[in-house]
Every structure is written in structure tokens, then in C-alpha cells.
Amino acid sequence: MKQGIFRMKYLEDVISVKWLVVGVIFYFYSVMLKNEIVKVAYEKKVYFNNWDITLRLLNDMYLIVYFIIPIVLFFSIRSIFMNFDYQILIRLGSFKKWVYNSLKHFWMRISPLLILWVFVSLFMTIGFPYSWDWSQLSKTKHFTNTIYELVKFFGTPISAFAAQLILLMLIFSLLHIVFATVYVLTKSKYFMLFISVIFFLGNIMGFKLLPREVAFLSPTTFFSIAKGVNTFGSPILSYVVIIVVLIFLILFLQVLDVNKTAYIQSIKSYIPIVIYFFLCIVGISATARSLTKSADVTIWDVWAMSFIGVSAQRFAYIPFFFYLIVFFGFIYLVQLLFLSNEIEQLGYYKIIRFRSLNKWFWSWMRELLTITIFFLFVLMGLSLALAVCFGANTDFYMTILSNPLYEVIYHFFINGFLQIVFYIILIFIVSWISKESIYGVLLVSLFTILMLPGVNVVGIIPVGLNGIVYLADYSPYHLTFILIIMNTIAFLVVNYLFKQSLKI
């Protein structure tokens, strides 16, 4: 009985006036697209078929940004507000179950939109030549042909059609789960309305203002398989990003009902690390996206150019800022999460337990050295993996640098390790002398000045020497020699400071 009533309500909602209005808008917009397709095909003197209108309508960014996304946001927010009731929560037993129940109700309300969209895209093929293959127009590069990139990755148009439908179902579900989870955490309708407006405006700005290299930062990229291919160079990464975020949200939902204060406190220390690695991924992805425009670029080119750095003679702002994010960001995390705690918690009981400051120093320094080595391997693995995702060649050579690959690998790991160790020791020295962690941050700021053009002309100042750009002017072994000397001096200073502290 209940199922029958439920079906009747669903059918009434489907055939309601609002969906008729939506269908009419779809129809007139698709007529405009249909006329454009015929006009371009006539100008180019190429054949077109049914898939030109179907796939274009499903991937049209103007339709998605200004029509589809507002409707999805409206029904998502409305579904959340209408279904968040404490009687329902008591019946379901947990916030996690409410989020899943909310997702079910959201799809009941939004499914007519997807059905209408697909129906009109197929209905408008009437009058077009019918085929199961790509048309000549689809294979023709033209500024109006938004599905040109799909031809390279999908053997048949039907596979691209299925891929777009799956992508839409995933992104709709992801968007609603995010909003439902945020509402559970905030319980604020005004905040939900605020972030929905920000999301909509962000999509407009991301769609119109972001350059192609960083278009993956715009959520609109994940609403269209054609846009995803155009941004990432492959359709796979769009799914990977959505699925990874979905998995993260599902895992988060498992602890949604626990004590929020205790949970937030437990993950608070991991927030800087998550932000840091997100920035690293963004920077490497931007490099990979720009380099893979050339068919000859290998994954090793992407890796080298991601960490190219700057020198006094060879300076550019993007490599400079990304070096600051990657290496100085790592040092800042070491200072924030490790060094400051070790120094502040040092007391007589620790000195008695370790019997000497040197033993105490090496007890945590060995751990930092291991973390540094692991960090360098993570950077390399991350850059190579992202390069593969963006379609770079997997051959074991480089095309951008003239240096042998083994030299670049040696420089990245050996000199990178020595450079990071020098940063750590120097910040430790400053923190030990000043007893204030803020001075370590100021020292990092001084490092950025020493990397500006015209400062380190001779290449002796041990700042930024692990940048791969230095291989254009120096031997990696020469740089190793400089860094070993500077690290030795730094360790001697630490030893001297310990001896002075014991005398006091």
C-alpha cells in the first residue's frame, strides 16, 4: 500500500508543471544547438549524425553551469531541509543513515531532470542521419565542437554517452552527500544557502576565468566528460577524483555520529598536512598538464620540471613559488609539528633519561632523516603517477634536460636530502637559541630572499641548491660537496650550543 502511494506521488512529481517548463527549456536550447551543428557542418562540408546533438547537449558547459547546477543545488538543499527531522533521525538511528536516506530522497526528486535531459538529447536526433560511429563533424577541430577530444579516447559515441551518464550520477551524488554532511555538522540553513551561492558563483568564475592549466580546480570540470578530457587529457582522472572524494566521505560518515569535539581535536594536527599535499598535487598537475601538450614529453620530464626550482641566473615566478610550497612548506610542517614540540617539552627528566643532549638530539633527528627520505620518494612517486594520468610517455629518458637521467635522480635525492637536512638543522639552531618557534618561520622568510635573482650568483649560499635548474650550471657532485660542508658546519654549531648549555 505504502509503495503504491509512494509511486503515485513520484509520478505526480514527474509530470508536474515545473518539469514541463524544464523540458521546454531543454527543447529550445537543443534546437539552437541543432541549428549550430547544421550550419558548421555546411560550412566545413562534412557529414554529421545523431551523436553530434546528443553528446553536445549532455556536455554543453553553458547549459550545465547556468541551468543544471542551479537546479541540482535547489533540489539538494530543499531535500535536506525537508527531510532533516528529529523524528526521522530517531527512526533511522544515526546521522550516517540519515545522509544515505537523504541521498535516496534527493535522487527521487532530481531523477526527472536527468531523464528529461537524456530524453531531449535523444529526441532531437530526429531528422539527423543515424549512425553508431563518430561523424566527420565530431572529428573536425572547431571552436564550437565541444566533443572533439572525446573521439581520441572513446572508440564509439555510445561509450562516451554511457561515460557521461555515469559521471553525472557520480557527481550529483557526491555533491548532495557533501551538502548533507555539512548540514549535519552545522545545522544552519543560512550557512547552507551561503555555501550554495558561493558554489554557484565559484562555478561561473571557474568556468570563465580559470586558465586551462588549472581548470581542474573548477567543480564544473567534473560535470562533463568532454570538459574532463579537455582538462586532464584523459577521461579517467575525472572518475578517479570523484571516487576518491566519495570514498573519503564514506569513511568520514562512519565517524559522523561520534563526539565531534574529540574527533576534530584528533584530526586537527593533520589539517596542515592535507592542505600541504593538496597544494603539491595542484602544482604538479599544472606542470603535467602544460607539458603533456607535447607528445614527446615523458613522465621524467614532468618530474624534473615540477621541482626545477630557480637560481640567480635562471629565475621564474611559478617554479619559485612552487619550490617555496614544496620544500619550505615541508620545513614549516617539521617546525610546526615536530621541532617546536621537542624543544618546548625538553626538561631535566629528558636530559636525565637520555644522559646527554646529543643523544636526545639524535633520538628524534634519526626519525626526521627517515621522514625526509620517505618525503622525497613520495614526491617522485606522486609526480610520476600524475604524469601517467595526464598521458605522458613512460619511456626511461628525458627530453627537456640535457643531463643524464641518473644525474638528475642523484641530484634530487642526495642533494635534496642534504638541502632539507641543512634547513632543519638551521631552524633548530635558531629555535634553540631563541626558544621561540616564530623565529624559525622568520628564518624561512629569509631563505626566500636568498633565492631571488642576482643574490646567490656564485652558488655557494646553501639555499635552493636542490633545485634541478642548478644542473644547467653546476655539477651535482659540486653541489653535494657544498651541502656536505655546510651541513658539517651546522652540526658543529649544534654540538657547540649543547656544550655551552651544559656549562650553564
Side-chain angles (χ1 to χ4, degrees):
M1 184 69 178
K2 288 183 178 180
Q3 288 183 349
I5 295 173
F6 172 78
R7 289 171 183 170
M8 287 295 295
K9 288 184 177 179
Y10 179 73
L11 288 174
E12 289 175 3
D13 183 67
V14 169
I15 61 175
S16 63
V17 175
K18 63 176 178 289
W19 292 121
L20 294 176
V21 173
V22 169
V24 169
I25 294 173
F26 275 139
Y27 175 79
F28 282 107
Y29 192 84
S30 58
V31 167
M32 182 184 67
L33 277 181
K34 196 171 183 179
N35 293 334
E36 181 185 273
I37 290 170
V38 174
K39 180 182 177 182
V40 174
Y42 178 77
E43 291 175 353
K44 294 288 183 179
K45 294 181 173 57
V46 292
Y47 295 107
F48 56 90
N49 64 28
N50 53 302
W51 293 109
D52 288 296
I53 181 60
T54 297
L55 291 176
R56 285 205 200 180
L57 187 62
L58 290 175
N59 285 275
D60 188 88
M61 292 308 299
Y62 287 97
L63 182 67
I64 290 172
V65 172
Y66 296 105
F67 189 65
I68 298 298
I69 290 179
I71 293 177
V72 173
L73 287 175
F74 172 78
F75 280 101
S76 179
I77 298 297
R78 185 168 179 264
S79 174
I80 290 170
F81 290 170
M82 290 180 63
N83 288 282
F84 193 82
D85 184 272
Y86 283 99
Q87 292 182 351
I88 298 175
L89 284 171
I90 293 170
R91 178 169 58 83
L92 294 174
S94 68
F95 286 114
K96 179 185 72 173
K97 290 181 180 179
W98 177 84
V99 171
Y100 290 134
N101 185 67
S102 174
L103 179 64
K104 182 183 74 174
H105 283 277
F106 164 73
W107 269 111
M108 286 164 43
R109 289 174 170 83
I110 203 65
S111 56
L113 174 70
L114 192 58
I115 293 169
L116 268 175
W117 195 6
V118 173
F119 172 77
V120 174
S121 71
L122 296 173
F123 177 78
M124 294 307 297
T125 61
I126 297 174
F128 269 30
Y130 182 80
S131 174
W132 287 103
D133 299 318
W134 293 105
S135 69
Q136 290 181 336
L137 180 61
S138 298
K139 299 175 183 178
T140 303
K141 192 170 185 180
H142 190 267
F143 72 94
T144 62
N145 184 13
T146 55
I147 62 173
Y148 170 73
E149 298 288 342
L150 295 180
V151 179
K152 302 176 184 178
F153 296 94
F154 295 96
T156 58
I158 188 68
S159 59
F161 176 77
Q164 174 64 11
L165 291 184
I166 294 171
L167 186 70
L168 288 172
M169 288 188 285
L170 287 172
I171 193 62
F172 283 8
S173 300
L174 174 62
L175 186 63
H176 182 77
I177 292 175
V178 169
F179 275 80
T181 305
V182 171
Y183 187 68
V184 167
L185 295 173
T186 62
K187 309 290 194 310
S188 173
K189 292 183 178 181
Y190 293 108
F191 182 74
M192 294 300 297
L193 294 173
F194 172 75
I195 63 171
S196 62
V197 171
I198 293 298
F199 181 82
F200 174 63
L201 295 177
N203 278 304
I204 294 175
M205 291 186 290
F207 167 55
K208 298 297 291 184
L209 300 179
L210 286 180
R212 184 177 177 182
E213 287 75 15
V214 290
F216 55 86
L217 295 177
S218 173
T220 53
T221 301
F222 303 96
F223 281 82
S224 165
I225 193 69
K227 181 69 172 176
V229 170
N230 189 51
T231 300
F232 298 116
S234 169
I236 298 173
L237 208 57
S238 295
Y239 295 102
V240 170
V241 173
I242 294 175
I243 291 171
V244 167
V245 177
L246 268 174
I247 292 172
F248 174 78
L249 281 172
I250 291 170
L251 293 175
F252 180 77
L253 289 177
Q254 308 309 309
V255 295
L256 190 61
D257 295 280
V258 302
N259 188 317
K260 302 296 186 305
T261 304
Y263 181 73
I264 291 172
Q265 288 297 325
S266 66
I267 67 170
K268 191 175 180 180
S269 61
Y270 294 99
I271 294 176
I273 299 175
V274 171
I275 295 173
Y276 168 75
F277 276 104
F278 173 74
L279 293 175
C280 289
I281 291 171
V282 168
I284 295 171
S285 298
T287 302
R289 183 69 189 89
S290 62
L291 289 178
T292 49
K293 292 177 181 177
S294 172
D296 297 329
V297 168
T298 68
I299 57 176
W300 301 99
D301 291 317
V302 174
W303 163 67
M305 291 304 296
S306 296
F307 309 106
I308 194 72
V310 295
S311 66
Q313 296 85 5
R314 307 170 190 273
F315 185 90
Y317 282 106
I318 292 179
F320 171 69
F321 286 119
F322 191 59
Y323 182 94
L324 300 185
I325 291 171
V326 174
F327 295 102
F328 290 171
F330 177 74
I331 298 303
Y332 174 74
L333 289 177
V334 169
Q335 166 76 11
L336 178 69
L337 304 175
F338 206 95
L339 284 181
S340 58
N341 292 332
E342 284 294 332
I343 295 174
E344 290 171 6
Q345 294 174 8
L346 179 63
Y348 289 111
Y349 76 95
K350 273 197 174 183
I351 296 175
I352 293 171
R353 181 159 65 91
F354 287 102
R355 297 184 180 179
S356 74
L357 290 174
N358 279 308
K359 288 184 179 179
W360 164 77
F361 175 80
W362 285 108
S363 68
W364 54 263
M365 189 62 186
R366 279 193 293 269
E367 184 178 346
L368 277 184
L369 297 179
T370 304
I371 291 173
T372 300
I373 296 171
F374 177 73
F375 166 71
L376 292 172
F377 274 104
V378 168
L379 286 182
M380 173 182 260
L382 192 61
S383 58
L384 295 179
L386 288 172
V388 171
C389 292
F390 278 92
N393 294 330
T394 56
D395 299 320
F396 199 77
Y397 65 84
M398 289 190 302
T399 62
I400 292 178
L401 300 177
S402 59
N403 302 76
L405 181 57
Y406 72 87
E407 271 194 6
V408 183
I409 294 175
Y410 169 89
H411 175 70
F412 179 78
F413 282 103
I414 303 301
N415 293 336
F417 174 78
L418 293 172
Q419 182 69 84
I420 292 174
V421 171
F422 178 76
Y423 291 151
I424 293 173
I425 299 171
L426 211 58
I427 288 179
F428 172 79
I429 291 171
V430 173
S431 300
W432 180 267
I433 294 173
S434 64
K435 305 301 180 185
E436 293 287 344
S437 59
I438 187 63
Y439 290 105
V441 178
L442 294 177
L443 181 63
V444 172
S445 301
L446 177 62
F447 288 163
T448 64
I449 298 174
L450 296 175
M451 292 180 63
L452 293 175
V455 177
N456 193 13
V457 178
V458 184
I460 295 179
I461 302 174
V463 175
L465 296 184
N466 61 319
I468 294 175
V469 71
Y470 271 93
L471 295 180
D473 302 304
Y474 300 95
S475 163
Y477 313 109
H478 169 77
L479 298 171
T480 301
F481 179 71
I482 294 174
L483 289 169
I484 287 176
I485 292 176
M486 294 301 178
N487 273 287
T488 303
I489 294 172
F491 277 116
L492 291 175
V493 171
V494 170
N495 191 55
Y496 171 78
L497 291 174
F498 286 165
K499 287 181 179 179
Q500 291 298 112
S501 297
L502 290 175
K503 286 181 182 180
I504 296 172

